[in-house]
Amino acid sequence: MRSYAVIARRLQAWRDVPLLLMRLVLAYGFYLPAKMKWSDIHGIGDWFVQLHIPLPYVSAYLVAITEAAGVVLLTLGLWVRYITLPLMFSMLVAIATVHWSNGFAAGDNGFEIPLYYLIMLFALFIYGGGKIGVDYFLEHSSSR
């Protein structure tokens, strides 16, 4: 038991690394979808019409803005808790409108990957972006 406690204490020094890695993986994961949406925003609006998403063209812009902002903010570790909320909402809508009917498996365009994103975003919402990001410095500079 003593060796476990020693290992646990030593690992505490690394606790912000998984938060950084989650942020970077999510930023990378949102990069191509954001780029695709901006390259054909009207086509995304047309697709949203087919999915019966309310205000499809406005929604297309909102999702594209949210994903692009997510790429930048998650990478920097800036306003992480704020950006996770609209990104989580976007993942819930994607699961409900696109992926749910395909089942769980990612290979079948199921909800597996959006669910993983949702869980990682929720963890970042609860824990924040960690010490390796701009938020940490903003939070600590304002408390002085």
Side-chain angles (χ1 to χ4, degrees), residues 57-68:
Y57 297 96
V58 172
S59 295
Y61 276 100
L62 288 174
V63 171
I65 290 167
T66 298
E67 289 179 353

Side-chain angles (χ1 to χ4, degrees), residues 28-50:
Y28 179 78
F30 283 114
Y31 174 74
L32 287 178
K35 186 177 172 184
M36 179 210 52
K37 285 176 181 70
W38 283 111
S39 70
D40 186 15
I41 197 72
H42 187 76
I44 297 299
D46 292 343
W47 182 45
F48 283 8
V49 168
Q50 294 173 4

Side-chain angles (χ1 to χ4, degrees), residues 33-104:
K35 186 177 172 184
M36 179 210 52
K37 285 176 181 70
W38 283 111
S39 70
D40 186 15
I41 197 72
H42 187 76
I44 297 299
D46 292 343
W47 182 45
F48 283 8
V49 168
Q50 294 173 4
L51 295 173
H52 306 291
I53 292 176
L55 303 169
Y57 297 96
V58 172
S59 295
Y61 276 100
L62 288 174
V63 171
I65 290 167
T66 298
E67 289 179 353
V71 170
V72 173
L73 297 176
L74 290 169
T75 300
L76 295 174
L78 176 62
W79 301 327
V80 170
R81 285 189 168 105
Y82 293 131
I83 195 58
T84 59
L85 292 171
L87 288 171
M88 284 191 287
F89 180 77
S90 179
M91 290 298 94
L92 288 170
V93 172
I95 289 169
T97 60
V98 177
H99 301 283
W100 187 262
S101 62
N102 298 321
F104 179 74

